[in-house]
Amino acid sequence: MRLSDLKTGEHGVIVKVQGHGGFRKRIIEMGFIRGKEVEVLLNAPLQDPVKYKVMGYEVSLRRQEADMIEVVPPPAKDNHSGQPKTMVETFTLHSNEESEVINVALVGNPNCGKTSLFNFASGAHERVGNYSGVTVDAKEGYADFEGYRIKLVDLPGTYSLSAYSPEELYVRKQLVEDTPDVIINVIDSSNLERNLYLTTQLMDMHLRVVVALNMYDELEQRGDHLNIDTLSTLLGMPMVPTSFKTGWGLDELMHEVIHIFENREGHDQYYRHIHISHGHEIEDGISHIQQFLKGNDLLRLRYSTRWLAIKLLENDKKVEEVIRVLPEAQQIIWARDLAAHRVKEETGDDTETAIMDAKYGFIRGALQEAGYEMGHKDDTYKVTHKLDALITSKWLGFPIFLLLLFLMFEVTFALGQYPMDWIEMGVEWLGDFVGNHLADGPLKAMLVDGCIGGVGAVIVFLPQILILYTFISFMEDSGYMARAAFIMDKLMHGMGLHGKSFIPLIMGFGCNVPAVMATRTIESRRSRLITMLVLPMMSCSARLPIYIMITGAFFAVKYQGLVMISLYVVGIILSVVMARVLSTWVIKGEDTPFVMELPPYRFPTAKAIFRHTWEKGKQYLKKMGGIILVASIIVWALGYFGTMGVAPSLEESFIGMLGKLIEPLFYAQGFDWRLDISLLAGVGAKEIVASTIGVLYGDGVYNFTPLVAYSFLLFVLIYFPCIATIVAIKHESGSWKWAIFAALYTTVLAWIVSAAVYQIGSLF
């Protein structure tokens, strides 16, 4: 509860003081310290301000200021002694309440190790990838440490807090509107100068920050030297060396978070607010603008006025929107323009460039003062440089990429066939066992043909799913996926797609839904929209059981890998072609430059690979017991019953009648009515196509040719995205128009492509 909620004569114990730097510091200096009891003495005639008694002093606060202070009820009388409980007992009593939770935001550059920290601390298994945009939304988890419940929020990786990309705006919005108690700024120690730029922007915001110097073991291996104590003092924030590959330094980091949270800043040898000097003309402009901003109480509570002034000087459009509603807006903009003019006269640069140069100058000076020196040992990135010379070369880069895809599918088929056969035998044995011990009737038919037949037809592909995700996890965690985006950039850009678009497209091989969400990392709305509209062409893992089922039944073992990779290649080619069509005739506009970080290659640990793979396996199994099971029973029921009760044959059942009704729509593809029904069922989720085929072709006899089979696979590849993907497109595009467009154009394209392949193939 808030201090402003207390009525005259009521008491409370202070738990937390929220708000930004200067305001928060002043409130604490007035005696509003965690653990102190406060009493409401008097309300003004208009109920604002309010007089309080704390630490023996009487002070007044406005209600909007009191609303920034969290309190809990005071110590209750002990039932036996009649004496008040101690403060320790009081906090223990309320330890499970939200007021006892420390809200911690994880902020840092892409690939700095934020998500690894999140996983180690909370036990959650979020995806870790060596490319920007894996964490496309704030992920929440909890950790218990030293008697506290720590809520961790893993924010998207971002290089700065400007208003350039959706990621930056999202992170900034979270820091301003949901002000965390403490920020953990995760830094890649192997690239200090670039990573510390974001740190300087957090300093401007006057937030409580603890820095995790992650990958510090790599810095030491390289022979670099850094005085952490000196750098901590110069930046005014504690720094803790860590390595989240192993969890080293995590306890010390969390201890420092609690240390800062418990209002011990005054006693901390590092914690202090630092003003980075940006040059006298810019500093004069900041001071001038702040004079107007500090007069607005509501603004002062929500923001650091210095940060607002700096952002105005950087011509930040979002901050300008906040300022323009103020009565002093015209004077503030005039002060900004005057400062910008003077900076231009003095330096020849615009204010945004001058501020950036000043920050990097501060960083270089701080590192020099902290004795930062590059080691004289061998370059730890030597292997990375040698591998990049081969993997990203002009002539070998693309063939290596295709070779790795081919190898991935060959191993998936060859190695996965053995456990697949074992599971298939187990499913058959279970079906026979149930069939032999139950009397004939609907219950037996539902269990054998619906549940076991439908779910069993999909669950047998679990080994291939696990093997495929092992490969994908290895390529992502090792850093190869970033190279794949680098290799494909020129081709993608030439066809109308942004270079960054390749990242969500690659993610689409796992699942289209998070891939659509990952388009937030693309700064250009035009490229973002085109990317999410062509994403359904990417063969998500939900289609894999269908591919394996049909490919395994109709193609020789030596051709199965080629058939599989052809589907993925066709999807990529179609996505590029459609992107070109959309960018030329449907969605026009300017694009933005492509910036892609190429992190060093790192050999992922077996534990990390196993964890990522098993998480996907669990998701697959959950689907088996949920939507796949329900859909299989529905399909069975529609195939078991007809207009006169139990149908004498499948063709005379409800599903048979529906199939015969829509069969003419697919004459051009050579599909029979059972394939038509499976496509219709797959609108909800693509795995249902496989389970439906398992139910309708329960005898395992397929009455169509390999050409029909390949045409069917192409239709499955291209047509209607699942419902979840449609909803994701609507959410990210902000309009049902584009979501419906994606559903319609993909289905029409699927019909045309599959019909063309079948009709042309029939000529030979």
Side-chain angles (χ1 to χ4, degrees):
M1 111 182 118
R2 307 289 180 169
L3 180 59
S4 57
D5 296 329
L6 298 182
K7 297 180 174 57
T8 301
E10 292 184 341
H11 296 247
V13 177
I14 299 169
V15 173
K16 186 186 300 182
V17 178
Q18 298 183 333
H20 285 265
F23 161 77
R24 188 175 175 281
K25 183 178 180 182
R26 182 176 69 86
I27 292 294
I28 292 174
E29 287 173 346
M30 292 169 64
F32 291 89
I33 300 171
R34 186 175 189 274
K36 298 298 181 182
E37 186 169 341
V38 59
E39 178 187 1
V40 184
L41 296 179
L42 182 67
N43 280 267
L46 297 178
Q47 304 300 308
D48 204 7
V50 181
K51 184 190 287 187
Y52 298 96
K53 183 176 182 180
V54 62
M55 293 182 68
Y57 295 93
E58 295 182 0
V59 296
S60 66
L61 290 179
R62 292 173 180 163
R63 283 193 173 274
Q64 63 186 21
E65 294 172 334
D67 195 49
M68 307 296 285
I69 302 173
E70 292 185 17
V71 297
V72 295
K77 296 284 186 179
D78 188 276
N79 292 334
H80 301 290
S81 65
Q83 298 298 314
K85 291 185 177 181
T86 64
M87 288 298 176
V88 173
E89 290 175 313
T90 300
F91 284 120
T92 301
L93 180 66
H94 296 283
S95 62
N96 293 324
E97 296 185 8
E98 185 180 357
S99 56
E100 286 300 292
V101 173
I102 306 177
N103 295 304
V104 177
L106 307 183
V107 178
N109 288 186
N111 307 309
C112 66
K114 285 187 303 81
T115 306
S116 294
L117 162 60
F118 181 85
N119 289 341
F120 263 107
S122 69
H125 297 151
E126 295 305 328
R127 197 64 197 92
V128 182
N130 281 312
Y131 47 83
S132 172
V134 171
T135 310
V136 296
D137 209 339
K139 304 295 188 298
E140 296 182 359
Y142 290 86
D144 295 310
F145 193 80
E146 295 184 359
Y148 284 94
R149 185 81 164 151
I150 299 175
K151 178 184 177 182
L152 295 167
V153 182
D154 183 17
L155 295 175
T158 179
Y159 293 104
S160 75
L161 296 176
S162 66
Y164 183 58
S165 73
E167 291 169 298
E168 293 165 348
L169 285 172
Y170 183 84
V171 173
R172 204 167 82 180
K173 183 170 180 281
Q174 292 294 313
L175 296 182
V176 171
E177 296 184 4
D178 299 320
T179 310
D181 300 316
V182 182
I183 292 172
I184 296 180
N185 178 205
V186 184
I187 284 178
D188 178 357
S189 299
S190 64
N191 202 332
L192 282 173
E193 187 170 354
R194 191 203 64 198
N195 278 246
L196 284 171
Y197 182 76
L198 178 59
T199 309
T200 61
Q201 294 188 317
L202 293 173
M203 293 165 63
D204 291 338
M205 297 183 79
H206 202 166
L207 299 167
R208 292 184 288 179
V209 181
V210 177
V211 176
L213 292 171
N214 196 28
M215 306 177 196
Y216 200 79
D217 52 337
E218 294 184 14
L219 179 145
E220 292 180 325
Q221 289 171 11
R222 201 167 57 197
D224 294 1
H225 178 268
L226 175 68
N227 189 317
I228 298 177
D229 289 339
T230 302
L231 190 61
S232 298
T233 302
L234 292 172
L235 270 64
M237 54 185 66
M239 296 185 159
V240 181
T242 61
S243 176
F244 297 132
K245 288 188 296 185
T246 61
W248 172 62
L250 179 61
D251 286 352
E252 292 80 358
L253 181 67
M254 290 302 175
H255 177 77
E256 201 62 56
V257 167
I258 293 172
H259 186 83
I260 294 296
F261 172 74
E262 290 183 332
N263 301 327
R264 301 180 194 166
E265 325 50 338
H267 306 287
D268 193 286
Q269 59 177 323
Y270 303 124
Y271 190 88
R272 60 196 180 100
H273 183 50
I274 304 295
H275 280 184
I276 298 172
S277 175
H278 298 89
H280 69 275
E281 287 294 352
I282 291 178
E283 290 298 327
D284 286 347
I286 292 173
S287 299
H288 194 183
I289 294 170
Q290 276 188 287
Q291 290 177 9
F292 298 105
L293 299 178
K294 287 180 177 178
N296 188 294
D297 290 331
L298 188 59
L299 204 66
R300 183 171 54 85
L301 293 177
R302 291 190 64 198
Y303 303 94
S304 159
T305 56
R306 179 176 174 83
W307 177 75
L308 283 177
I310 291 171
K311 284 298 166 188
L312 280 172
L313 288 167
E314 290 178 337
N315 297 306
D316 190 295
K317 300 303 180 187
K318 292 295 180 181
V319 170
E320 280 190 21
E321 291 175 9
V322 173
I323 298 303
R324 289 193 184 279
V325 300
L326 302 178
E328 312 87 352
Q330 197 59 44
Q331 295 166 290
I332 294 171
I333 298 300
W334 178 83
R336 189 273 308 273
D337 293 343
L338 177 62
H341 177 71
R342 289 179 174 175
V343 169
K344 186 72 173 178
E345 282 185 338
E346 183 173 304
T347 67
D349 291 324
D350 58 73
T351 49
E352 187 174 7
T353 302
I355 289 171
M356 188 182 302
D357 289 345
K359 289 188 185 302
Y360 274 114
F362 171 81
I363 293 168
R364 285 191 291 270
L367 289 175
Q368 185 174 356
E369 188 72 19
Y372 178 63
E373 293 179 358
M374 298 289 289
H376 301 293
K377 296 182 181 179
D378 291 340
D379 181 10
T380 56
Y381 295 155
K382 185 184 295 183
V383 174
T384 291
H385 297 152
K386 288 183 177 180
L387 285 174
D388 274 345
L390 177 69
I391 289 173
T392 64
S393 69
K394 181 178 180 181
W395 303 108
L396 295 176
F398 198 73
I400 288 174
F401 175 61
L402 291 177
L403 179 62
L404 286 175
L405 285 180
F406 177 74
L407 178 65
M408 179 171 68
F409 292 122
E410 276 294 305
V411 174
T412 296
F413 266 110
L415 195 60
Q417 188 64 45
Y418 299 102
M420 177 183 172
D421 290 341
W422 301 335
I423 296 174
E424 193 168 23
M425 286 189 292
V427 170
E428 289 177 2
W429 175 86
L430 181 61
D432 292 340
F433 178 82
V434 173
N436 292 332
H437 288 79
L438 286 180
D440 292 341
L443 178 61
K444 174 182 174 179
M446 182 187 72
L447 291 175
V448 175
D449 300 327
C451 300
I452 299 174
V455 174
V458 183
I459 202 170
V460 294
F461 303 112
L462 178 63
Q464 281 93 340
I465 294 288
L466 295 177
I467 293 171
L468 182 67
Y469 268 108
T470 299
F471 269 95
I472 292 175
S473 295
F474 181 84
M475 288 194 289
E476 288 178 346
D477 293 353
S478 66
Y480 179 75
M481 280 302 191
R483 271 71 185 183
F486 179 79
I487 292 165
M488 296 293 291
D489 173 50
K490 188 172 183 179
L491 175 63
M492 305 295 283
H493 192 72
M495 293 298 177
L497 273 176
H498 193 285
K500 266 188 180 177
S501 298
F502 191 69
I503 299 164
L505 293 179
I506 287 292
M507 290 179 67
F509 289 141
C511 179
N512 288 170
V513 175
V516 169
M517 296 172 66
T519 59
R520 297 175 189 174
T521 64
I522 304 170
E523 292 83 359
S524 163
R525 172 169 171 77
R526 167 183 169 273
S527 291
R528 192 160 65 247
L529 194 55
I530 294 172
T531 304
M532 68 178 72
L533 289 176
V534 301
L535 258 171
M537 307 293 174
M538 298 297 101
S539 291
C540 65
S541 60
R543 296 179 175 101
L544 189 60
I546 313 166
Y547 294 170
I548 296 173
M549 173 185 282
I550 301 300
T551 303
F554 285 93
F555 299 95
V557 174
K558 63 180 180 180
Y559 298 122
Q560 289 175 355
L562 288 174
V563 171
M564 287 284 286
I565 197 172
S566 72
L567 294 171
Y568 284 77
V569 171
V570 168
I572 292 172
I573 292 173
L574 283 176
S575 68
V576 172
V577 171
M578 289 308 303
R580 187 63 179 171
V581 171
L582 292 172
S583 64
T584 303
W585 287 295
V586 182
I587 308 169
K588 299 180 180 180
E590 293 297 320
D591 215 335
T592 52
F594 170 63
V595 180
M596 169 56 65
E597 180 185 4
L598 297 179
Y601 290 101
R602 293 187 174 94
F603 201 87
T605 64
K607 180 180 178 181
I609 295 294
F610 176 80
R611 185 177 65 198
H612 300 157
T613 302
W614 178 236
E615 282 300 306
K616 295 300 179 182
K618 283 199 301 184
Q619 291 175 18
Y620 189 73
L621 290 174
K622 285 179 181 178
K623 275 191 174 182
M624 296 306 102
I627 186 173
I628 304 302
L629 177 61
V630 173
S632 298
I633 293 174
I634 292 173
V635 170
W636 165 83
L638 292 174
Y640 188 81
F641 297 103
T643 55
M644 303 299 291
V646 177
S649 68
L650 196 59
E651 286 82 357
E652 296 178 79
S653 66
F654 288 121
I655 204 167
M657 290 185 285
L658 178 61
K660 294 294 184 180
L661 181 66
I662 64 174
E663 192 172 28
L665 295 175
F666 298 97
Y667 279 151
Q669 288 83 2
F671 301 164
D672 72 355
W673 66 267
R674 285 178 283 197
L675 291 180
D676 303 342
I677 288 294
S678 66
L679 291 174
L680 193 61
V683 168
K686 291 296 177 282
E687 294 97 337
I688 301 176
V689 174
S691 65
T692 303
I693 290 175
V695 172
L696 298 181
Y697 290 94
D699 54 7
V701 178
Y702 300 103
N703 57 345
F704 49 91
T705 65
L707 179 59
V708 173
Y710 193 70
S711 300
F712 180 75
L713 290 175
L714 288 174
F715 201 101
V716 170
L717 161 68
I718 306 167
Y719 90 116
F720 194 100
C722 68
I723 296 296
T725 302
I726 294 295
V727 173
I729 292 174
K730 183 269 174 186
H731 179 72
E732 296 301 322
S733 67
S735 171
W736 276 112
K737 176 182 73 173
W738 295 114
I740 295 171
F741 175 76
L744 293 177
Y745 101 81
T746 54
T747 304
V748 171
L749 183 63
W751 193 96
I752 293 171
V753 171
S754 60
V757 169
Y758 176 73
Q759 294 298 327
I760 294 172
S762 299
L763 299 176
F764 298 94

